[in-house]
Amino acid sequence: MATAVERFDEKARHAFERIGRTEVYLGELLRHPVYTRFLHWMVALFFFLALFSGFGVYLPWLFRWFTPLFGGGPLARQLHPWFGLFFVFFFGLQTLNWIRPMAWTKADTNWMRNIKGVVSGEDKLEPPDTGFFNAGQKAMFWEIVVGCVLYLITGIILWAGARTFGRWPVAISYILHDISALIMLGGIFIHIYLSTIGEPGTFQAMTRGSVSESWAWTFHPKWYKEVTGRDPRQAYEEALQKRKD
């Protein structure tokens, strides 16, 4: 199964590299190829389309101003499940794309134990065993995986309605669907903050596909060492010395 996934993912990467390209300049490292960036923005697009249409349909007393964006309430109601299906579909492809680097390790458990130092900024560099993704990113990824499964199950029940599944499954599905959406929305807000203000230089990874070496040794030192063969702490100290000179 893993081999089949890897073959599919590799073919997709090559196909998209023929369509677009990623330019990496001096002092930068390749972070995300075209295929990964495409999946990321498709996931983001359909998440917000599903979110806004869902808010307009299920909370019209508060978000009725969303429904005109989708042609009115009835059309928004028809489009919402399709937006959700596309969101799950593209995130499913992203899951295949990231299944290996998102595997939980002992280093991630240690990262979580030291989360106070990471969040407070006391530590200038991430722990030296932080690889391509840190534990926070992995936790969010797996939360979305669980959320997608929950969306799919509850969404089908809500789509088919009480005539097919009965009143209680529909009522429970409404609650689980909404709670999952709110949890995921909270995670998305954190993600947006960290990819812009919280960790400057991160946003470039999903627009141009590359990051600066200083970003790499700061936030993902183990990955930096794997790619360059250089010690991240030494690279950091050399950069500090150059600034002083």
Side-chain angles (χ1 to χ4, degrees):
M1 178 64 179
T3 304
V5 168
E6 290 171 2
R7 287 176 180 172
F8 168 80
D9 197 61
E10 195 65 27
K11 288 181 180 178
R13 285 172 180 264
H14 287 313
F16 274 80
E17 287 299 329
R18 289 194 293 268
I19 299 172
R21 63 178 181 175
T22 304
E23 294 184 351
V24 181
Y25 299 103
L26 185 66
E28 293 182 341
L29 300 173
L30 174 64
R31 179 70 176 171
H32 295 299
V34 178
Y35 178 56
T36 301
R37 302 198 310 268
F38 168 77
L39 292 179
H40 174 271
W41 291 114
M42 288 298 99
V43 168
L45 172 65
F46 285 106
F47 171 77
F48 283 108
L49 287 175
L51 182 73
F52 294 149
S53 61
F55 276 166
V57 170
Y58 298 108
L59 295 172
W61 56 274
L62 186 61
F63 296 107
R64 63 167 56 92
W65 45 280
F66 277 142
T67 53
L69 299 175
F70 303 97
L75 186 56
R77 183 178 292 275
Q78 292 180 23
L79 290 174
H80 174 72
W82 291 105
F83 291 148
L85 282 176
F86 278 112
F87 165 70
V88 171
F89 170 75
F90 282 112
F91 191 77
L93 294 179
Q94 191 70 292
T95 300
L96 298 181
N97 188 236
W98 279 345
I99 193 70
R100 280 183 175 273
M102 285 295 181
W104 197 266
T105 65
K106 184 178 180 181
D108 299 315
T109 302
N110 294 333
W111 190 96
M112 282 296 188
R113 289 172 180 166
N114 189 45
I115 192 170
K116 183 179 178 181
V118 174
V119 173
S120 65
E122 295 175 3
D123 302 327
K124 299 303 179 183
L125 301 182
E126 290 267 346
D129 52 3
T130 303
F132 193 86
F133 291 114
N134 63 41
Q137 292 168 319
K138 291 182 180 182
M140 180 178 174
F141 172 84
W142 289 111
E143 184 277 319
I144 297 177
V145 169
V146 174
C148 282
V149 174
L150 198 59
Y151 278 154
L152 197 58
I153 295 172
T154 58
I156 290 173
I157 293 173
L158 293 174
W159 202 350
R163 290 184 179 180
T164 303
F165 290 99
R167 293 174 58 188
W168 279 109
V170 169
I172 294 172
S173 293
Y174 268 117
I175 297 172
L176 294 177
H177 205 77
D178 292 348
I179 290 175
S180 182
L182 291 175
I183 292 174
M184 200 175 293
L185 180 60
I188 292 297
F189 281 143
I190 296 173
H191 175 66
I192 293 173
Y193 167 76
L194 290 176
S195 62
T196 52
I197 301 171
E199 296 180 356
T202 304
F203 190 69
Q204 174 182 316
M206 277 300 176
T207 54
R208 288 187 43 236
S210 62
V211 293
S212 66
E213 289 193 27
S214 61
W215 181 94
W217 75 54
T218 301
F219 299 115
H220 300 274
K222 183 181 178 182
W223 173 66
Y224 171 81
K225 188 173 184 178
E226 290 172 352
V227 174
T228 66
R230 297 186 62 201
D231 179 74
R233 173 63 66 173
Q234 182 181 350
Y236 168 71
E237 292 174 353
E238 289 176 358
L240 282 181
Q241 189 61 44
K242 286 182 180 179
R243 289 179 185 176
K244 292 177 181 179
D245 296 343

